[in-house]
Amino acid sequence: MKRFVLLILPAAVPTALVLGAAVTMGVAQSMGLTPVAGGPQSSLDAYSAVASSGELAPAVVISLSIALVATAIAIAVGFTTALAMTTTRFGSKVLKGLAISTIPIPHVIGAAAIGLLLADSGWLARLFGSTAGNWPQFVAGPWWAATIIEYAWKESAFIALVVAATLSRDADELAKTAAVLGAGPAARMRYVTMPLATPALILAGTLSFVYALGSFEVPWLLGRAYPEPLPVLAYRLFTSTDLEVRPQAFAVSMVTMAIALVIGVSALRLFRRQVVTA
Amino acid sequence: MRSRRPRRRLSNAGLGLVALAVAIIVASATLAPVAFAAPTPQASAWANIERTARGQTVSLWMWGGDPQGNAYVDNVLTAAAAKLGVTLARVPIADTKDALNRVLAEHQAGRTDGSVDLIWVNGDNFRTGVQAGIWKCGWADALPNIAYTAPGDPLLASDFGTPVRGCESPWHKAQFTFAYNAARVANPPTTMPALMTWVREHPGRFTYPAPPDFTGSVFMREALYATSGGYANVPASFTQSAYDRLTPALWTTLKRLRPALWRAGQTYPKDSTQLDQLFASGQVDFTMTYGPATLTALVAKGTFPRTTKVLTLKEGTVGNASFLAIPTTSAHFAAAQVVANLALSPEQQAIKADPRAWGQFTVLDVKHLPPAQAQAFANLPKSNVVPTYPVLARHANPELSASWIPKLDDGWRRQVLTGGE
Amino acid sequence: MTAAVDLVNLTRTYPTASAPALKGVDLTVEPGQAVAVLGPSGSGKTTLLRLAAGLDAPDDGDIRLNGASVLHLPPQRRGIAMVSQRPLLFPHMSVLDNVAFGPRMAGAGRMQARNTATRYLELVELPGFGRRRTTELSGGQQQRIALARALAATPQVLLLDEPFSALDSELKSQMHQLLLELRAVLQPTIIMVTHDHHEAMLLADSVAIIIGGMLQQHGPAQSLFTHPQSLAVSRFLGGRNEISGEMRGRAFHCKLGVLRLADGTACAQGRAVMVIRQEAVRLVELTATDADTRGIITHAVAHGARTLVEVCAEGVPLQCEVPPGTPIHVGDHVGVALPVSQRQVLLDDPCPAPSRVGTPAVEHVH
């Protein structure tokens, strides 16, 4: 145990410092303690202002919805891909290569590419000879399709790699063992493969959910003007030329962080329970 | 930066021209200072500044979304600055607010060796900086080349209603301009109310960027002037009573316009780049810009249809100037002033005004320039798409005070974007 | 819970391999019998089990249980269970649920399956381990659970793929004892892959030897050692004595002289090799009447409790294992006896025997 603590110190200390400083600054700024102009004054005004502006609630709803749908798709696609990676030669070579090559692409580049692909005058629209007006509104549309597709695409690669690493060869061997013990395909999936993948799915799914919740560039590039997801709202308030609203930007960020924390903690509890009952 | 709105790639021909311009500059830059070498106390103070500036590096933070502007700074202005012993490093940013936020953060941290030496700025960003006290002031009036501007030019004395007070040095003038596709708009409207009528009669063929995007914000001010019966009826400085009196008609008009907008007003382009894409791909018939000089190149390149025309409105449109400001956190004050002065020189202003180089209107008083310098402006190419600056600016409307802008942007969000009927 | 297994002409070539992993293997196991499959690494032993279990499909051939082909059946419907070298217990289940897995899949309710599992835990002598997590068990315990889990699925055939090879020798002999007891109680048909001759002889009724993907020989363990049907089998089983010579009439002519063969063996003629197990060779007095030849001791090395002695006789190296305590001195002259019943002659060039199609490549010679 002691050795374990020592081993993670080099990674944990800088992380804790950076995170601690950022969160402290965020809290301080959201409470008006470090104003750009004027004297410091502690208050929760920024929180009540942003809450009463009527923009926070829709932002929370839309952010959670986007993250939930995108993560659900990413889990489904990522899990299937991971299975193909661990059980087929095609999967272990081609799919793994594809997934690995997807990881280093920054989300902002991915978002730009998805935009070029799916926009009204994008490649696909041209490929299908769609005339203005009858192409589905992926980009800036009411269903946030392009945003969700971008997250789902990037995160499914991430989830696939994490789950495939967990399943590795053993899961395939265990599934075959189960087959020899009389388990059909459905039973193998339900009693062996799924339970083996579940802890990794919970962890990777939580990471991608929290990422989708807190990331700015994808909904900003591919989303619509209203309602705004939380990070876009925070960014707009942060870059407002009215310095008075800057604390509100940090208030929105703190709310986002709180939501992410709640989700992270619940996921961890779920994860623990999975591991214990496993 | 804000007050331009140029965009799009520079053509190969344009690059060639820039290279040509470099050659001209190299020749003229060596001669330029000689013309002003009158031995006055001011001149010797300036000579001190130039001496101090030698060997310093200036980080110019500017909106990087316009390849032509980037190429001009990298190929022309940087080369001319090098002649003066100053290294100019352009830092591209997605939004001028990014530079402002950087300076604010460094200012809060008490740094005096900040990463920003010069910012292309105007309007509400300038005002925000004044509020926060992050600008060096008084220096811009002392630049030698300020002599070439028209004394008392209102666009240069006040930046969106905020007095300039030597806290920034002028760089470009701009005129807000609508452009339309003449192939699709047979009888173009000639006033703002007529434009609104056209929009309602042609659903889905018009939209504007969502404020607080700069261009969308300007469009909204144009609309405010129209619904208020002309700019004269809107006080330049913000007052709550004027806001309460004038904006209801604006919101009503814009809300009534909404169903006739692109995608029935369910969403808006994020910025002028997106609006230009919609225009370029034929999804809307109008676009708008604060940097009309770039339209010529866009049409020549085939990005915009050949039938693109500038829409001149009888009541005129708003115009402004944009500036170079030096933050207090800069450690290279002298060199930053040298670059600002260089950017203001007739040679640089003339090259920059060529649409093939950048196409930014000059801030200088061309009529009163010495003949040699005036000739460079007279030689600028004529455009089939864009009228000359004097024509565009004929009925120029003044900009509203920057204090109006966040209020209007906020009102638009509440009333038009999220509000009901 | 037992069935006859017929593997017919099983052939399998993996896509990436140039040579087939299995080539026309025929193997028959009577109900309740245990056959050990021996062979060097990579000889196709594991492939044989995977094909039988349905984890892989043969390119050619058939697999029959009680005479009926099961080739078209997926693994879960063949009634064949398998235990591998690694226990492969389900890490997310308790020990009891691991063992109860087979009964559950067969349709038993949770309680009923757990009751069954409890009985099998007792059978492998791990009662009370049901609630533990699999990671809490030792390697030997895990392998016993794996065995219990396989048996609890009540297979007609049990496949064992080197199940004890990862265990130390004490655990291994405990497991051997356990398996013998289980055989007595449950009598499953067993095909067991191993590379351990002693394990094969101890646990199996017969031994099949696969070398290079081909079945070389299948028969009672003893007969394989004393009467290998090829040099490959002889060498694989550790036979050390190979004497070159020629069959003339009923006698083997070589440097050692003329060696007689046991009566009643068919006669083939020509160049041949005589093999005789080193355990069968005896050292005798120089003057002893049963000495077939004489030589000088050149080497002596300990071989377990026994001593492996090399004698050079007429230029032919002969090896024999002598019991502990036998006085051996390098350089001594000794007599060597080669018991007639243990002599086996293998022809270099198989002589065609038109009367018997499909005659093995080697012939018995007396």
Side-chain angles (χ1 to χ4, degrees):
Chain A
M1 189 61 196
K2 258 186 194 161
R3 184 145 168 275
F4 167 75
V5 170
L6 277 178
L7 280 174
I8 64 161
L9 270 186
V13 168
T15 308
L17 281 178
V18 170
L19 202 64
V23 171
T24 311
M25 279 305 290
V27 170
Q29 298 221 23
S30 71
M31 296 178 66
L33 292 174
T34 56
V36 177
Q41 203 177 357
S42 170
S43 79
L44 293 174
D45 290 354
Y47 289 89
S48 53
V50 79
S52 63
S53 72
E55 304 213 75
L56 187 62
V60 170
V61 170
I62 196 68
S63 273
L64 285 175
S65 310
I66 291 173
L68 194 70
V69 176
T71 306
I73 297 173
I75 284 179
V77 176
F79 179 58
T80 317
T81 312
L83 286 184
M85 278 183 195
T86 47
T87 53
T88 65
R89 286 173 51 78
F90 171 82
S92 70
K93 295 223 162 116
V94 179
L95 288 179
K96 202 164 204 164
L98 275 176
I100 288 173
S101 61
T102 303
I103 294 294
I105 301 173
H107 271 281
V108 64
I109 305 291
I114 295 276
L116 287 174
L117 196 67
L118 296 180
D120 296 23
S121 52
W123 295 337
L124 281 186
R126 282 177 209 179
L127 189 70
F128 288 101
S130 159
T131 51
N134 58 17
W135 182 251
Q137 297 181 8
F138 293 118
V139 174
W143 297 105
W144 295 82
T147 310
I148 289 169
I149 288 169
E150 203 281 343
Y151 282 136
W153 160 61
K154 279 276 292 170
E155 302 304 337
S156 62
F158 168 70
I159 290 175
L161 286 177
V162 171
V163 172
T166 313
L167 293 180
S168 66
R169 296 204 56 77
D170 266 7
D172 189 34
E173 290 290 307
L174 288 170
K176 284 177 175 161
T177 303
V180 174
L181 290 168
R188 296 202 288 272
M189 179 60 65
R190 181 174 162 198
Y191 294 111
V192 179
T193 311
M194 269 309 281
L196 287 173
T198 301
L201 280 176
I202 291 175
L203 282 189
T206 307
L207 284 179
S208 70
F209 184 93
V210 168
Y211 185 90
L213 186 76
S215 121
F216 155 77
E217 59 268 43
V218 180
W220 186 78
L221 274 172
L222 300 175
R224 58 199 336 232
Y226 182 84
E228 286 171 313
L230 286 165
V232 178
L233 172 63
Y235 181 77
R236 181 170 59 76
L237 293 172
F238 180 67
T239 52
S240 166
T241 47
D242 186 355
L243 293 177
E244 305 277 308
V245 304
R246 187 163 294 222
Q248 294 178 25
F250 286 94
V252 172
S253 293
M254 292 303 111
V255 169
T256 312
M257 196 184 71
I259 295 173
L261 263 178
V262 168
I263 286 159
V265 168
S266 349
L268 212 61
R269 293 177 65 145
L270 193 65
F271 174 73
R272 287 233 177 91
R273 218 171 55 205
Q274 281 293 327
V275 172
V276 168
T277 53
Chain B
M1 191 357 87
R2 265 35 246 293
S3 60
R4 24 49 253 224
R5 289 301 118 155
R7 65 241 75 186
R8 253 107 308 196
R9 276 122 277 246
L10 182 60
S11 66
N12 285 338
L15 278 170
L17 274 159
V18 169
L20 186 69
V22 173
I24 297 169
I25 272 305
V26 168
S28 60
T30 48
L31 302 170
V34 181
F36 307 98
T40 64
Q42 264 185 331
S44 77
W46 179 249
N48 271 336
I49 290 174
E50 283 197 315
R51 222 176 2 259
T52 316
R54 283 189 183 277
Q56 292 189 343
T57 296
V58 172
S59 292
L60 166 57
W61 289 50
M62 58 182 271
W63 181 69
D66 175 9
Q68 268 195 302
N70 296 342
Y72 162 75
V73 169
D74 291 348
N75 301 327
V76 183
L77 193 60
T78 304
K83 287 275 164 201
L84 301 173
V86 174
T87 308
L88 182 59
R90 180 177 61 84
V91 179
I93 45 180
D95 193 312
T96 304
K97 283 164 186 154
D98 297 347
L100 205 69
N101 278 322
R102 182 67 169 262
V103 174
L104 285 170
E106 291 179 353
H107 178 70
Q108 279 178 302
R111 283 180 59 178
T112 56
D113 59 341
S115 43
V116 187
D117 297 313
L118 211 51
I119 307 182
W120 181 22
V121 72
N122 77 349
D124 42 357
N125 286 315
F126 174 67
R127 173 172 156 271
T128 303
V130 169
Q131 273 182 355
I134 58 166
W135 303 132
K136 295 217 189 251
C137 285
W139 57 272
D141 302 331
L143 295 179
N145 287 336
I146 202 79
Y148 293 126
T149 61
D153 184 339
L155 278 183
L156 306 187
S158 141
D159 182 354
F160 285 65
T162 308
V164 170
R165 296 205 178 99
C167 305
E168 52 180 1
S169 139
W171 201 13
H172 324 300
K173 278 187 181 174
Q175 191 66 35
F176 185 70
T177 309
F178 290 101
Y180 66 98
N181 185 349
R184 292 196 51 98
V185 186
N187 300 303
T190 55
T191 64
M192 270 299 276
L195 174 61
M196 308 248 188
T197 308
W198 186 94
V199 172
R200 280 197 296 276
E201 286 169 356
H202 300 84
R205 305 302 303 172
F206 182 92
T207 189
Y208 55 95
D213 170 75
F214 180 78
T215 307
S217 198
V218 181
F219 171 80
M220 184 169 54
R221 295 198 289 278
E222 292 282 351
L224 174 66
Y225 286 168
T227 58
S228 304
Y231 69 85
N233 296 331
V234 185
S237 295
F238 176 81
T239 62
Q240 192 60 45
S241 65
Y243 180 91
D244 293 342
R245 189 177 74 248
L246 296 172
T247 54
L250 172 66
W251 306 142
T252 308
T253 304
L254 291 180
K255 270 192 273 190
R256 280 178 48 206
L257 208 57
R258 197 168 59 188
L261 295 178
W262 170 73
R263 285 202 182 170
Q266 291 298 302
T267 189
Y268 294 81
K270 202 179 319 303
D271 50 27
S272 64
T273 311
Q274 282 197 355
L275 175 60
D276 285 347
Q277 281 165 1
L278 293 179
F279 180 71
S281 60
Q283 296 187 65
V284 295
D285 297 329
F286 282 83
T287 185
M288 54 192 83
T289 174
Y290 229 136
T294 56
L295 291 173
T296 311
L298 288 171
V299 172
K301 220 193 127 199
T303 306
F304 281 0
R306 264 177 310 155
T307 45
T308 302
K309 290 268 179 287
V310 160
L311 184 73
T312 43
L313 297 181
K314 276 181 186 153
E315 67 267 44
T317 56
V318 294
N320 71 29
S322 61
F323 300 81
L324 290 169
I326 305 175
T328 53
T329 53
S330 166
H332 309 112
F333 184 32
Q337 289 177 80
V338 167
V339 172
N341 188 56
L342 177 68
L344 193 56
S345 67
E347 293 76 14
Q348 290 294 333
Q349 290 277 319
I351 294 169
K352 185 167 64 70
D354 189 330
R356 294 166 300 185
W358 192 356
Q360 291 282 9
F361 300 129
T362 182
V363 293
L364 303 182
D365 182 8
V366 177
K367 269 176 287 183
H368 296 100
L369 285 180
Q373 277 92 0
Q375 191 56 42
F377 287 96
N379 290 344
L380 288 176
K382 306 285 176 280
S383 164
N384 295 327
V385 183
V386 186
T388 60
Y389 177 72
V391 173
L392 279 176
R394 189 173 294 144
H395 299 288
N397 297 181
E399 268 289 6
L400 284 179
S401 149
S403 52
W404 268 98
I405 293 170
K407 306 284 184 191
L408 287 174
D409 290 349
D410 193 48
W412 181 83
R413 283 193 73 77
R414 286 170 198 287
Q415 301 289 337
V416 183
L417 182 63
T418 67
E421 279 312 303
Chain C
M1 143 147 204
T2 184
V5 181
D6 279 301
L7 306 182
V8 185
N9 190 31
L10 272 190
T11 301
R12 175 74 174 117
T13 305
Y14 289 114
T16 51
S18 51
L22 277 185
K23 215 157 37 180
V25 169
D26 293 295
L27 184 65
T28 297
V29 191
E30 297 302 323
Q33 294 288 296
V35 56
V37 179
L38 274 175
S41 299
S43 58
K45 307 186 297 279
T46 298
T47 301
L48 185 79
L49 294 196
R50 290 173 55 83
L51 292 176
L55 298 178
D56 192 9
D59 300 324
D60 198 6
D62 198 5
I63 297 157
R64 295 181 193 140
L65 254 57
N66 287 336
S69 174
V70 294
L71 215 49
H72 59 287
L73 293 178
Q76 62 270 19
R77 292 179 52 201
R78 288 198 181 183
I80 297 179
M82 182 157 153
V83 178
S84 306
Q85 185 174 351
R86 291 165 60 210
L88 287 171
L89 299 181
F90 302 124
H92 55 288
M93 295 180 192
S94 68
V95 164
L96 191 66
D97 284 342
N98 262 279
V99 181
F101 190 82
R104 282 284 279 156
M105 292 303 114
R110 186 183 293 267
M111 285 318 296
Q112 192 193 341
R114 285 187 172 166
N115 287 338
T116 309
T118 309
R119 287 210 316 275
Y120 279 92
L121 279 182
E122 285 161 10
L123 208 59
V124 297
E125 292 161 13
L126 289 172
F129 276 63
R131 299 188 64 180
R132 301 212 189 176
R133 297 178 56 187
T134 56
T135 47
E136 295 168 13
L137 304 183
S138 71
Q141 288 170 335
Q142 289 193 15
Q143 200 56 280
R144 272 196 270 175
I145 299 299
L147 195 56
R149 181 178 64 177
L151 292 169
T154 59
Q156 294 180 298
V157 178
L158 179 64
L159 307 177
L160 303 174
D161 187 1
E162 306 202 20
F164 313 128
S165 63
L167 307 179
D168 65 41
S169 59
E170 190 180 344
L171 266 178
K172 199 187 266 192
S173 56
Q174 284 178 18
M175 292 298 293
H176 291 162
Q177 198 52 45
L178 177 65
L179 191 64
L180 286 174
E181 286 164 17
L182 289 175
R183 275 200 68 189
V185 177
L186 300 170
Q187 297 185 334
T189 307
I190 294 177
I191 302 178
M192 168 182 179
V193 160
T194 177
H195 59 256
D196 181 339
H197 308 165
H198 303 290
E199 188 171 270
M201 297 179 73
L202 177 69
L203 297 179
D205 303 309
S206 66
V207 174
I209 291 182
I210 294 185
I211 295 173
M214 299 206 283
L215 182 69
Q216 304 285 332
Q217 200 169 345
H218 179 206
Q222 273 306 330
S223 78
L224 258 66
F225 278 97
T226 54
H227 292 97
Q229 291 182 9
S230 69
L231 275 178
V233 170
S234 167
R235 287 173 187 164
F236 174 71
L237 292 174
R240 291 168 173 269
N241 291 319
E242 293 174 10
I243 305 158
S244 297
E246 198 177 352
M247 278 302 294
R248 287 185 212 148
R250 308 188 63 85
F252 182 74
H253 295 252
C254 63
K255 286 181 180 171
L256 302 179
V258 179
L259 297 174
R260 199 173 52 80
L261 298 185
D263 293 338
T265 336
C267 161
Q269 304 294 303
R271 294 190 52 76
V273 175
M274 173 181 281
V275 296
I276 182 164
R277 291 295 300 187
Q278 60 271 22
E279 295 90 341
V281 177
R282 284 185 296 115
L283 296 186
V284 294
E285 293 295 318
L286 269 175
T287 54
T289 50
D290 57 350
D292 292 297
T293 182
R294 290 164 187 82
I296 186 167
I297 297 178
T298 54
H299 289 98
V301 292
H303 197 244
R306 296 158 73 91
T307 304
L308 188 61
V309 177
E310 186 175 304
V311 177
C312 188
E314 315 289 343
V316 177
L318 291 173
Q319 301 202 357
C320 72
E321 271 189 24
V322 298
T326 312
I328 298 291
H329 303 289
V330 173
D332 281 2
H333 289 265
V334 290
V336 180
L338 306 170
V340 172
S341 65
Q342 305 293 311
R343 297 174 186 173
Q344 167 83 342
V345 168
L346 305 170
L347 285 191
D348 276 5
D349 299 311
C351 62
S355 60
R356 283 174 58 198
V357 179
T359 301
V362 286
E363 291 260 334
H364 290 273
V365 179
H366 292 269

